Amino acid sequence: MSLWTGVLPAITTPFNADLSIDHGAVRAHVRWLVSQGCTGIIPCGSLGEGATLGLEEKAALMRTCVEAVKAPVIPGIAALGTAEAVRLAKAAEEAGCSGLMVLPPYVYSSDWREMKAHLSAVIRATRLPCLLYNNPVAYRTDFSPAQIAELAADFDNVAAVKESSTDARRVTGIRALLGDRLALGVGVDDCLVEGVSAGASFWVAGLVNAFPAESVRLYELARAGKHDGAFALYRWFLPLLRLDTVTKFVQLIKLVQQEMGWGHERVRPPRLELVGAEREECLRVLREALAHRPAL
């Protein structure tokens, strides 16, 4: 089976009370996600608080995921500097990961010449297939279809794109330029049905951490072209999926997970746990969703 199909959870990173990684919780969580029909696991991404994890912590997290499930593990590869991103890519290959999700550098965002050099160094450092992660909202770097095509022409192991610009037209644009050369994935929770309609073959999802069965079913209905069924489930799911699209998406999704019995709302600073009206509004959205949870 291709790496680039189905629902790929961008997993949260569970922490112990001292904010060390809770590897036992990681194992249980990823096994549950795969048992519910998810096709792979993506640790160390934005939702996984990758920016607050050290290189050795990321490598250990990768190994835990690889050992826990038979499904592909495709970690996020991002760092402040290119040299560390290259080391992380090599650590992922050594850990037995199946592919890499390659991000632009944290903090520094510049022109295409510099961003291409960074991505090329990471891709060149591995034999693993690479998923390019385009998220201009979070990283202030926007890879155009033409730029993605340059990388695909330069490197055979550039295999897929996770499109998180929030614009489903980008999926259409990449397909028009590259045909079937790259697999295309949706990286924004509330753009799944639109993205699949435009040709996306996989979904890197967030709320799947708490609702895997609903996420898998929504993906299946969308891919099968069962528009009425997909829209009915989508309409129910959208208030939850929109929690993935705001600044405090990590805190929101971790709180939902906690309430569903999978994890704890702990986050690493500079993030802080939700309090007051923000927390209550998230719980209200969850209560409303659970009151009308559809049978699958």
Side-chain angles (χ1 to χ4, degrees):
M1 180 182 291
S2 169
L3 293 180
W4 318 114
T5 188
V7 180
L8 305 172
I11 62 168
T12 54
T13 302
F15 297 123
N16 295 303
D18 64 358
L19 296 185
S20 60
I21 297 175
D22 184 344
H23 287 271
V26 173
R27 291 185 194 93
H29 189 218
V30 297
R31 287 170 179 160
W32 177 60
L33 292 172
V34 171
S35 77
Q36 296 295 299
C38 296
T39 53
I41 297 295
I42 298 182
C44 308
S46 306
L47 181 54
E49 298 174 77
T52 69
L53 302 177
L55 192 150
E56 290 304 319
E57 287 183 309
K58 290 179 180 180
L61 182 55
M62 294 173 199
R63 290 192 295 270
T64 294
C65 291
V66 168
E67 292 164 3
V69 295
K70 293 181 180 179
V73 175
I74 307 163
I77 305 298
L80 289 169
T82 302
E84 183 172 346
V86 167
R87 287 195 294 272
L88 188 58
K90 292 179 177 178
E93 190 162 353
E94 291 170 3
C97 294
S98 299
L100 306 178
M101 183 176 74
V102 183
L103 285 72
Y106 291 136
V107 181
Y108 184 70
S109 176
S110 180
D111 57 27
W112 173 234
R113 182 176 70 93
E114 291 186 324
M115 295 300 97
K116 182 180 179 182
H118 174 86
L119 294 177
S120 297
V122 175
I123 296 164
R124 192 180 293 115
T126 181
R127 296 166 296 177
L128 296 176
C130 293
L131 165 65
L132 302 177
Y133 181 12
N134 185 45
N135 189 340
V137 177
Y139 294 104
R140 297 180 297 113
T141 299
D142 191 0
F143 302 129
S144 70
Q147 292 167 345
I148 291 168
E150 280 188 43
L151 286 170
D154 289 348
F155 298 100
D156 290 340
N157 61 329
V158 172
V161 178
K162 174 188 173 185
E163 180 51 59
S164 297
S165 66
T166 74
D167 186 351
R169 293 174 300 176
R170 284 299 187 91
V171 174
T172 310
I174 296 168
R175 285 188 70 202
L177 190 61
L178 286 164
D180 295 328
R181 166 65 180 86
L182 299 178
L184 302 176
V186 175
V188 182
D189 269 16
D190 65 348
C191 196
L192 182 275
V193 172
E194 298 88 334
V196 167
S197 295
S201 64
F202 64 96
W203 181 18
V204 180
L207 266 297
V208 66
N209 282 278
F211 290 94
E214 288 84 355
S215 299
V216 170
R217 183 59 177 156
L218 178 60
Y219 167 84
E220 290 173 344
L221 289 168
R223 284 285 285 173
K226 296 181 178 179
H227 303 297
D228 290 345
F231 184 74
L233 183 53
Y234 203 29
R235 181 169 53 192
W236 168 81
F237 213 174
L238 275 171
L240 287 167
L241 295 177
R242 290 179 181 131
L243 300 177
D244 183 60
T245 66
V246 296
T247 301
K248 295 185 181 180
F249 72 112
V250 175
Q251 294 95 314
L252 291 164
I253 292 174
K254 278 192 160 184
L255 176 57
V256 170
Q257 272 187 254
Q258 175 178 276
E259 296 302 300
M260 296 302 295
W262 285 97
H264 194 280
E265 62 186 311
R266 294 187 192 98
V267 287
R268 278 188 176 175
R271 289 183 175 90
L272 299 174
E273 294 172 20
L274 298 173
V275 295
E278 282 184 318
R279 190 174 191 276
E280 182 51 39
E281 176 59 16
C282 177
L283 295 176
R284 185 199 64 76
V285 169
L286 177 59
R287 287 193 299 267
E288 180 69 15
L290 292 177
H292 302 93
R293 192 174 188 177
L296 298 180

